[in-house]
Amino acid sequence: MNGTWLRRVLVLLVPVTLTWAGDSDLKLELESNVRTLRLGQESTLKLRIAGPGIGRLTEPSEDLGPKDPAAGAFVYELKFKPQREGDFTFGPYQLSFNGRLLTLNLVSIFVLPAWDGTYGTFFRVDRDSITLGESIELVIEKWSTAYEPKRYLFTRDETFTFTTGEFLSHRTSSDKGTLVHMRSSWLITPKQAGVFRITRDLFQSFPEGVVPPDITVTVREKDPPPEPDHKTP
């Protein structure tokens, strides 16, 4: 896949010009809650036009104002269901706004092989080496014959921060029985360079009967800024 279907959607956006005065304070963003996905699974990408300027669209209307100005945005959802393994990159795309171009960020998703039929709970990260300030995606996948939700709660620690990604629960039944797939993800950002380990110690609450992960991620220091080019007058 080369993103052709997504480009077709955005082509419709390119001629659009909004006509209020002043510089654009809007942003064109493409969002994904996942960085990795299995073949046969699907996810939703969100094309978002956001910024304080959206509120000016309705300024001429009497007694009409945004319900939540801080959350104002236009959002268009796109389904992504890959038909092959490997890397997928979406963007950059552009939107013409008031004579200026808003440029969309790049979003990359790596598609893993389909489930191999092995039942159990599995942990994975999208990278084993990052630069300080970057985040890693931790995914927990469970394949079973019954719906048995498990609770994973991170400990509060000064060495990392985290944000919750996407939770997926899918159940199918056939003459072969019932298959339940559950998937949870988080973005973890280490605060120190060195070796960052994802083990049982990372969790405040961890379900019994699940073999905990033992994943090592190398966190590199940021490259120093380039030296200024001093020229002799």
Side-chain angles (χ1 to χ4, degrees):
M1 173 181 282
N2 57 12
T4 301
W5 56 273
L6 186 53
R7 281 197 292 272
R8 288 173 181 167
V9 172
L10 290 167
V11 164
L12 300 176
L13 295 175
V14 170
V16 174
T17 302
L18 303 180
T19 56
W20 59 72
D23 292 338
S24 167
D25 56 4
L26 299 184
K27 295 187 297 182
L28 183 64
E29 303 170 331
L30 188 62
E31 301 176 353
S32 173
N33 286 334
V34 302
R35 294 182 182 175
T36 56
L37 201 65
R38 287 205 178 276
L39 194 64
Q41 298 176 349
E42 67 178 51
S43 186
T44 299
L45 282 71
K46 293 182 179 181
L47 179 66
R48 179 186 300 271
I49 306 173
I54 287 180
R56 291 199 291 270
L57 284 169
T58 57
E59 281 182 351
S61 302
E62 184 178 4
D63 297 329
L64 183 65
K67 180 178 179 180
D68 185 355
F74 292 111
V75 180
Y76 187 86
E77 294 189 347
L78 301 151
K79 183 178 74 173
F80 174 52
K81 188 171 184 178
Q83 302 301 308
R84 64 167 177 85
E85 302 172 20
D87 285 304
F88 289 77
T89 300
F90 303 99
Y93 308 105
Q94 291 181 326
L95 167 67
S96 177
F97 166 73
N98 205 27
R100 299 179 61 184
L101 287 178
L102 304 178
T103 300
L104 185 72
N105 55 295
L106 287 170
V107 166
S108 295
I109 298 175
F110 186 79
V111 178
L112 300 160
W115 178 54
D116 63 3
T118 304
Y119 291 93
T121 301
F122 307 95
F123 300 80
R124 71 168 187 265
V125 292
D126 64 321
R127 292 179 290 172
D128 59 11
S129 179
I130 62 172
T131 299
L132 189 62
E134 295 179 335
S135 60
I136 51 177
E137 180 191 52
L138 172 65
V139 175
I140 304 177
E141 280 191 301
K142 180 182 178 182
W143 305 85
S144 62
T145 58
Y147 180 71
E148 299 174 347
K150 302 292 185 180
R151 179 178 175 84
Y152 298 87
L153 182 63
F154 284 99
T155 185
R156 297 293 176 178
D157 195 300
E158 295 181 354
T159 62
F160 72 94
T161 60
F162 68 91
T163 57
T164 302
E166 184 178 74
F167 174 77
L168 170 71
S169 177
H170 183 66
R171 176 176 176 172
T172 57
S173 298
S174 67
D175 54 358
K176 296 180 180 180
T178 299
L179 173 64
V180 178
H181 171 235
M182 288 184 288
R183 179 187 188 277
S184 299
S185 66
W186 298 265
L187 291 181
I188 301 176
T189 307
K191 292 185 178 181
Q192 302 172 358
V195 174
F196 182 80
R197 295 187 63 201
I198 300 175
T199 65
R200 171 65 180 85
D201 295 337
L202 208 66
F203 299 88
Q204 176 181 335
S205 175
F206 194 88
E208 295 183 1
V210 176
V211 177
D214 190 0
I215 300 173
T216 299
V217 177
T218 301
V219 183
R220 305 181 302 271
E221 292 280 5
K222 293 182 179 179
D223 292 332
E227 294 289 336
D229 184 13
H230 297 291
K231 295 183 179 180
T232 303

